[in-house]
Amino acid sequence: MKSHKIVRSTLTLLIALLVLDGTIHAQSTENEPVAANIAEHLALDHQLDEIPEDIRLQFEQNPLQLPAAENSQLITAFKDAYNDSLLLHDFKSAFADSLTPELSGKLQDWLQRESTKRITDARQSFYTLDGKRNRVITMYEMEQEPPSQDRVALTQSLTDTTSVVESTVESSVIILRSMIEAVNQISTQRTFPDSQIDAIANNFRTQIQGQISRQYANQMLVLFHPVDSATIQDYIAFWGTETGQQLDQYISHSIRQAYEAASQRFMESVSTD
Amino acid sequence: MKFRLFLLSVSLFIIYGCSASEPVTRSQPQLSTPAPADPSVDFSEMLEPPQDWHHLDEDRTRFRGISSQLAYEELLKDRSPEQRVIVAVIDGGVDINHEDLKANIWTNEDEVPGNGVDDDENGYTDDVHGWNFIGGADGQNVDNDTFEVTRLYAKLHPKYADADTTTFTPAERKEYALYKKVENEYRYQINKQLEQYNNIRSLEQSMERADQILTDYFDGNYSYEDVQKLQPTDQQTAFAQNVMSYVMENDIDSTLIAEQKKQLYEFMKYSYNPDFSPRDIVGDNYEDPSERYYGNSDVTGPDASHGTHVAGIIGAIRNNGTGMNGVAGNIWIMPVRAVPDGDERDKDVANAIRYAVDNGAQVINMSFGKSYSPYKAEVDKAIRYADENGVLMVHAAGNSSENTDKKENYPTDTFGDYFNGDTSAKLWLSVGASGWHPDSAYVGSFSNYGDHHVDLFAPGVDIYSTIPGNKYKRNQGTSMAAPVVSGTAAVIMSYYPDLSAAQVREIIMQSVVKYPEQMITLPQSGPGDAQMVEFGTLSVSDGEINLYKALQAAEEMSSR
């Protein structure tokens, strides 16, 4: 009867695993609306596209001086792989997988607060057509009449409170690396050994670190221009809480997951071409 | 919008060129003495041409000017003009007190200045030197205005943004198609202006950093040659060399950057702002496009820079030892203000044309244009009116590097539908901009062109002319090319008063200088490989205006 016990215990374990797996997927499915809500309210759907777009624009100018056809192939494959719908889908999936019911509930409550709504309205508006128009107006007017040091310090502390800079740097490195590796696949004239790719990536990381920190701080000055300082302080305080730190961690993780998935798609595309 | 050339959006790797601007106070004219063609003129090394290059003769100087200097020296030296020609300048305003224009500004002799009475009963009170259709009776003026695409977006977006297209009537379907086109362009422009602003800020930061690096490296000042000779041994110096080489080669300085940023700011704050509407200042019933009598007599307005430059090209006082020479000597400039910093409105354009015709203009210069014309029918009526009254209309083709046979540019000589209209004005000339490089860069990279819609080319690159405050500046654009043609027409009319406007037009078209072997880099508005085309495929006449040859042709026609 020994074998019968082993089979039954194995079966029990398998069933337990199946149930557990099913629970996780059920939670993931339940969490997707929360993930979508977070992505929308924090305008992450727009932000996901920003880094790939920057890198695409630079490589569109063919800085490696590839033959036109090769560069065109590279850019087309990049655009397909880093498509914003796919990025958002992968982000939401990864984020949903991270959420627990308890955290979901806390985040929903946080989003409903009036002060949070003032922040999320500003974030969403930033990416609308009118928001883009107003960005130029705000940037120019801020150059003519710079904001107070207190205001600058406030938005700087927002930059320092989250991992957004580090996340952006690492995301940029992931995307750049994928571009260089793709060049290796496509180009008949240019090849980069792994050691050189590592060196380029590290050099790039060093170069952009300070730049991204400054850019983010400036962007926050513009984005939160219509928001009062008290609301921003409240927002900063949230990110210092356990809930805020978890949210920050899961957002960074999910963004990286989305870019890594895109990078994978990109490499698969150029490898089969 | 006035066809002023704007410049530069800089990414890390791609650079657009820009115009040099050098405001100068009270300068003596720098005239080139005609000499036998100098084979040693090296255009490849030349950063800018002589200030009067557009007057020069190619056979003598190698500059592809309109040979006006030679015409005055040889053909007209023993002749006196027989009539003083009135040239209307429909634009943003003219500085009528400019030292090099004042004596040539038209005066309405039938109007008693400042008495508040419409003495000549032409419908406009105290229109002593012209009229301003974008001002209020209280003296206030429109300065900035929206672009037509913004006005259409503001009107159509609320109606169609969330509309159920399945229930549309045929009229709604047609209007919806217009809405989608407008919406696409509005969205494109907003994104583009934002990108340009970011790029300019990025360039500015790079310039500051590069300058600091090189100042430290050279322990003080440095020249372009110093930068070129650098052999960088580190990334920082290499970066600084790249940036400053570009900056110095393109004459970019902090003033230029500041101007560009301000322009983009004003575009976003006013011209692309669907909630901005300065029309209340005018106080007309804007919904009545047939309304004629509104405005005020301030023909200078808040920003006369563009109109003054245009006016100077046509008729800055010749040979007075000051400033520069206009193309035409014996003329009156009639300023008609109708073009804001933004897009002109069809109603104002129509009324400006009518005003010019009714008050004696023989040539109308129109250095403005736009891509939409919602009240085209009114403008068509006015153009017909000018046509029927024998007034020659000269229009700048536009600065979008586009083929106007395929992309609308208004106003146009074609009545009705831009592409399908079957009648057109007879007395119309559309002008593209040529430059001083006698090579593939001969046509201005910004210039519109069109084998059917652009009639000819005229110098429009690095043109030195008057700006408000007794100053002078180089500018470029088809805005500068059109007045070269207007001035040429005026010269012909003043020496051959018996020729009709139609004959003058024919003379101008038939006497162009052609370059059948000349291949041109086709102007293009976006990225992509450059195309080379024959210069002759870019306009109806296949050539560039030439006053000397036009006068010879005029003489011949008069003798028949």
Side-chain angles (χ1 to χ4, degrees):
Chain A
M1 304 320 295
K2 213 176 190 180
S3 58
H4 183 67
K5 271 189 187 173
I6 289 169
V7 167
R8 195 169 66 185
S9 65
T10 305
L11 194 58
T12 306
L13 181 59
L14 279 170
I15 290 168
L17 283 171
L18 275 169
V19 168
L20 182 60
D21 190 46
T23 306
I24 289 171
H25 280 297
Q27 279 183 359
S28 248
T29 309
E30 282 170 8
N31 289 337
E32 278 174 10
V34 177
N37 225 10
I38 289 286
E40 184 192 337
H41 280 86
L42 296 183
L44 297 172
D45 45 353
H46 293 285
Q47 291 173 47
L48 279 168
D49 188 49
E50 282 180 337
I51 305 171
E53 180 70 2
D54 272 346
I55 290 181
R56 180 187 67 78
L57 283 171
Q58 292 186 39
F59 275 84
E60 216 164 52
Q61 313 310 321
N62 201 1
L64 299 177
Q65 296 183 327
L66 302 177
E70 284 180 6
N71 203 59
S72 176
Q73 182 190 358
L74 184 76
I75 298 300
T76 301
F78 183 85
K79 277 164 72 170
D80 289 343
Y82 284 89
N83 171 278
D84 48 8
S85 303
L86 293 172
L87 286 174
L88 184 61
H89 174 269
D90 289 337
F91 169 83
K92 286 194 283 191
S93 294
F95 191 76
D97 281 347
S98 307
L99 286 174
T100 61
E102 187 191 354
L103 182 59
S104 289
K106 286 180 180 175
L107 291 175
Q108 296 278 51
D109 290 341
W110 173 67
L111 286 174
Q112 293 304 314
R113 283 162 54 183
E114 281 308 312
S115 64
T116 310
K117 282 182 185 176
R118 286 196 287 276
I119 294 289
T120 56
D121 283 349
R123 292 198 85 109
Q124 289 174 313
S125 173
F126 189 73
Y127 292 98
T128 61
L129 267 187
D130 217 45
K132 289 179 182 180
R133 189 177 62 78
N134 279 313
R135 281 192 226 177
V136 174
I137 296 170
T138 302
M139 283 191 282
Y140 184 85
E141 288 179 352
M142 274 182 12
E143 285 174 36
Q144 310 311 307
E145 270 191 54
S148 68
Q149 283 307 307
D150 285 347
R151 186 72 173 194
V152 172
L154 189 62
T155 47
Q156 183 61 51
S157 80
L158 176 61
T159 307
D160 297 338
T161 302
T162 67
S163 62
V164 64
V165 169
E166 181 193 325
S167 174
T168 305
V169 169
E170 291 312 312
S171 298
S172 303
V173 171
I174 291 171
I175 299 169
L176 178 73
R177 182 183 277 273
S178 74
M179 187 67 97
I180 305 286
E181 286 171 357
V183 168
N184 267 357
Q185 294 294 321
I186 286 177
S187 175
T188 51
Q189 296 168 0
R190 287 266 190 168
T191 55
F192 296 90
D194 286 349
S195 57
Q196 193 173 6
I197 295 176
D198 287 340
I200 291 170
N202 289 333
N203 191 31
F204 183 62
R205 180 185 287 109
T206 307
Q207 289 212 5
I208 65 174
Q209 184 84 36
Q211 186 185 334
I212 285 179
S213 179
R214 282 189 300 277
Q215 278 177 0
Y216 187 75
N218 287 335
Q219 189 182 63
M220 290 300 103
L221 271 174
V222 175
L223 192 156
F224 289 125
H225 184 71
V227 181
D228 63 277
S229 293
T231 300
I232 298 174
Q233 269 163 348
D234 193 50
Y235 182 62
I236 292 171
F238 164 76
W239 292 102
T241 65
E242 186 184 340
T243 305
Q245 286 176 11
Q246 279 183 311
L247 178 60
D248 177 45
Q249 182 189 341
Y250 294 155
I251 287 175
S252 296
H253 166 75
S254 305
I255 288 175
R256 214 155 38 241
Q257 293 278 86
Y259 288 142
E260 280 172 357
S263 169
Q264 181 74 18
R265 282 192 295 271
F266 187 30
M267 293 314 303
E268 284 167 9
S269 162
V270 297
S271 297
T272 55
D273 282 349
Chain B
M1 182 173 97
K2 288 163 244 179
F3 289 134
R4 177 185 287 151
L5 179 65
F6 292 106
L7 50 93
L8 67 117
S9 179
V10 175
S11 72
L12 281 174
F13 303 104
I14 284 285
I15 292 148
Y16 293 103
C18 56
S19 67
S21 61
E22 305 169 342
V24 175
T25 52
R26 296 194 73 92
S27 77
Q28 291 299 315
Q30 293 174 29
L31 297 177
S32 305
T33 305
D38 182 357
S40 70
V41 171
D42 185 355
F43 289 100
S44 65
E45 293 293 318
M46 194 177 291
L47 290 181
E48 61 183 23
Q51 284 174 357
D52 61 345
W53 80 267
H54 58 292
H55 289 295
L56 301 180
D57 175 77
E58 186 179 19
D59 288 341
R60 294 239 178 144
T61 67
R62 296 191 63 206
F63 285 95
R64 290 179 174 177
I66 67 170
S67 308
S68 46
Q69 192 174 350
L70 191 64
Y72 279 104
E73 285 170 0
E74 290 189 3
L75 301 178
L76 302 180
K77 71 174 178 178
D78 294 323
R79 294 191 56 184
S80 297
E82 295 182 36
Q83 71 164 336
R84 199 149 179 174
V85 175
I86 299 173
V87 181
V89 174
I90 300 179
D91 211 289
V94 176
D95 178 3
I96 60 174
N97 294 311
H98 194 289
E99 63 183 3
D100 215 11
L101 289 173
K102 193 169 180 177
N104 282 352
I105 297 295
W106 175 72
T107 300
N108 182 354
E109 303 288 358
D110 296 329
E111 194 67 35
V112 176
N115 67 351
V117 176
D118 180 12
D119 302 288
D120 60 357
E121 295 179 352
N122 67 354
Y124 303 98
T125 301
D126 288 337
D127 56 321
V128 177
H129 295 300
W131 194 248
N132 170 21
F133 285 98
I134 48 173
D138 61 359
Q140 280 196 83
N141 279 317
V142 173
D143 186 0
N144 297 96
D145 202 345
T146 43
F147 290 132
E148 198 67 73
V149 69
T150 306
R151 299 194 277 267
L152 285 167
Y153 179 80
K155 180 181 165 189
L156 298 175
H157 184 69
K159 189 175 174 186
Y160 288 112
D162 300 315
D164 178 1
T165 61
T166 61
T167 62
F168 281 168
T169 62
E172 283 171 331
R173 260 197 293 279
K174 189 177 173 191
E175 197 174 48
Y176 181 73
L178 172 63
Y179 163 66
K180 290 308 288 181
K181 187 179 171 190
V182 162
E183 198 243 353
N184 279 341
E185 183 175 336
Y186 182 76
R187 180 178 299 278
Y188 169 78
Q189 290 297 343
I190 294 292
N191 284 319
K192 183 178 158 190
Q193 308 304 318
L194 173 60
E195 185 186 338
Q196 286 189 344
Y197 196 90
N198 284 331
N199 286 339
I200 288 173
R201 276 177 25 132
S202 187
L203 171 64
E204 196 174 19
Q205 286 158 13
S206 295
M207 270 173 68
E208 281 173 22
R209 191 169 145 230
D211 182 52
Q212 191 55 57
I213 292 167
L214 292 177
T215 302
D216 290 344
Y217 183 92
F218 290 109
D219 208 21
N221 293 333
Y222 52 90
S223 67
Y224 176 71
E225 287 71 30
D226 291 334
V227 175
Q228 294 310 296
K229 285 179 194 160
L230 266 178
Q231 302 280 337
T233 54
D234 60 75
Q235 275 191 357
Q236 191 172 245
T237 313
F239 160 81
Q241 183 187 42
N242 282 338
V243 170
M244 288 314 290
S245 291
Y246 165 69
V247 164
M248 289 168 140
E249 282 162 13
N250 290 282
D251 265 336
I252 298 171
D253 59 17
S254 56
T255 304
L256 194 60
I257 285 182
E259 281 175 8
Q260 293 309 304
K261 280 160 68 175
K262 186 171 183 230
Q263 181 68 80
L264 290 169
Y265 165 72
E266 288 182 350
F267 277 175
M268 294 300 228
K269 191 167 168 98
Y270 304 114
S271 305
Y272 286 116
N273 184 353
D275 298 323
F276 177 65
S277 180
R279 193 67 186 184
D280 287 347
I281 290 172
V282 177
D284 65 322
N285 176 10
Y286 188 62
E287 297 309 315
D288 177 8
S290 65
E291 187 183 7
R292 299 278 310 278
Y293 305 108
Y294 56 89
N296 65 38
S297 60
D298 177 3
V299 297
T300 301
D303 180 6
S305 52
H306 186 271
T308 303
H309 201 271
V310 166
I313 294 168
I314 297 169
I317 303 163
R318 292 182 56 82
N319 302 319
N320 61 346
T322 294
M324 34 77 72
N325 285 339
V327 170
N330 206 53
I331 54 130
W332 294 118
I333 299 280
M334 177 197 286
V336 187
R337 189 164 179 264
V339 187
D341 273 342
D343 274 348
E344 61 284 355
R345 295 179 184 240
D346 291 338
K347 181 177 179 180
D348 303 327
V349 170
N351 283 329
I353 292 172
R354 287 184 184 280
Y355 179 89
V357 174
D358 288 344
N359 289 280
Q362 291 148 279
V363 181
I364 297 175
N365 188 87
M366 295 183 284
S367 288
F368 57 83
K370 56 187 182 177
S371 302
Y372 300 91
S373 185
Y375 297 104
K376 185 176 186 292
E378 287 304 315
V379 181
D380 280 357
K381 283 186 207 164
I383 291 173
R384 261 190 219 281
Y385 184 65
D387 220 34
E388 287 159 2
N389 282 276
V391 178
L392 182 65
M393 293 163 280
V394 182
H395 180 239
N399 296 342
S400 307
S401 313
E402 283 168 342
N403 183 347
T404 56
D405 292 348
K406 295 181 180 171
K407 179 83 168 57
E408 301 96 317
N409 181 259
Y410 299 100
T412 177
D413 55 335
T414 307
F415 299 128
D417 183 78
Y418 183 92
F419 294 110
N420 301 314
D422 50 16
T423 53
S424 57
K426 305 283 184 294
L427 303 180
W428 184 275
L429 285 169
S430 174
V431 188
S434 56
W436 48 275
H437 287 277
D439 53 29
S440 62
Y442 172 44
V443 167
S445 62
F446 52 83
S447 180
N448 284 352
Y449 55 93
D451 208 17
H452 301 290
H453 277 84
V454 173
D455 291 300
L456 75 170
F457 282 80
V461 176
D462 281 329
I463 305 297
Y464 186 74
S465 183
T466 48
I467 59 171
N470 293 339
K471 296 179 185 157
Y472 304 84
K473 179 181 169 178
R474 292 180 193 266
N475 257 339
Q476 54 196 38
T478 55
S479 280
M480 283 69 246
V484 171
V485 173
S486 297
T488 299
V491 173
I492 299 169
M493 289 176 179
S494 75
Y495 285 88
Y496 297 93
D498 293 333
L499 292 176
S500 69
Q503 289 174 310
V504 171
R505 183 189 182 280
E506 185 187 340
I507 283 165
I508 287 172
M509 288 290 282
Q510 290 186 354
S511 61
V512 296
V513 171
K514 299 184 185 182
Y515 299 98
E517 309 294 322
Q518 182 72 71
M519 297 301 287
I520 297 293
T521 305
L522 187 69
Q524 61 181 56
S525 54
D529 294 331
Q531 283 182 70
M532 301 300 292
V533 299
E534 293 172 12
F535 173 60
T537 62
L538 301 182
S539 67
V540 176
S541 70
D542 303 350
E544 178 188 318
I545 194 166
N546 190 279
L547 176 58
Y548 191 98
K549 294 185 189 306
L551 286 169
Q552 287 178 320
E555 179 64 33
E556 190 188 340
M557 188 175 280
S558 290
S559 309
R560 289 184 201 154

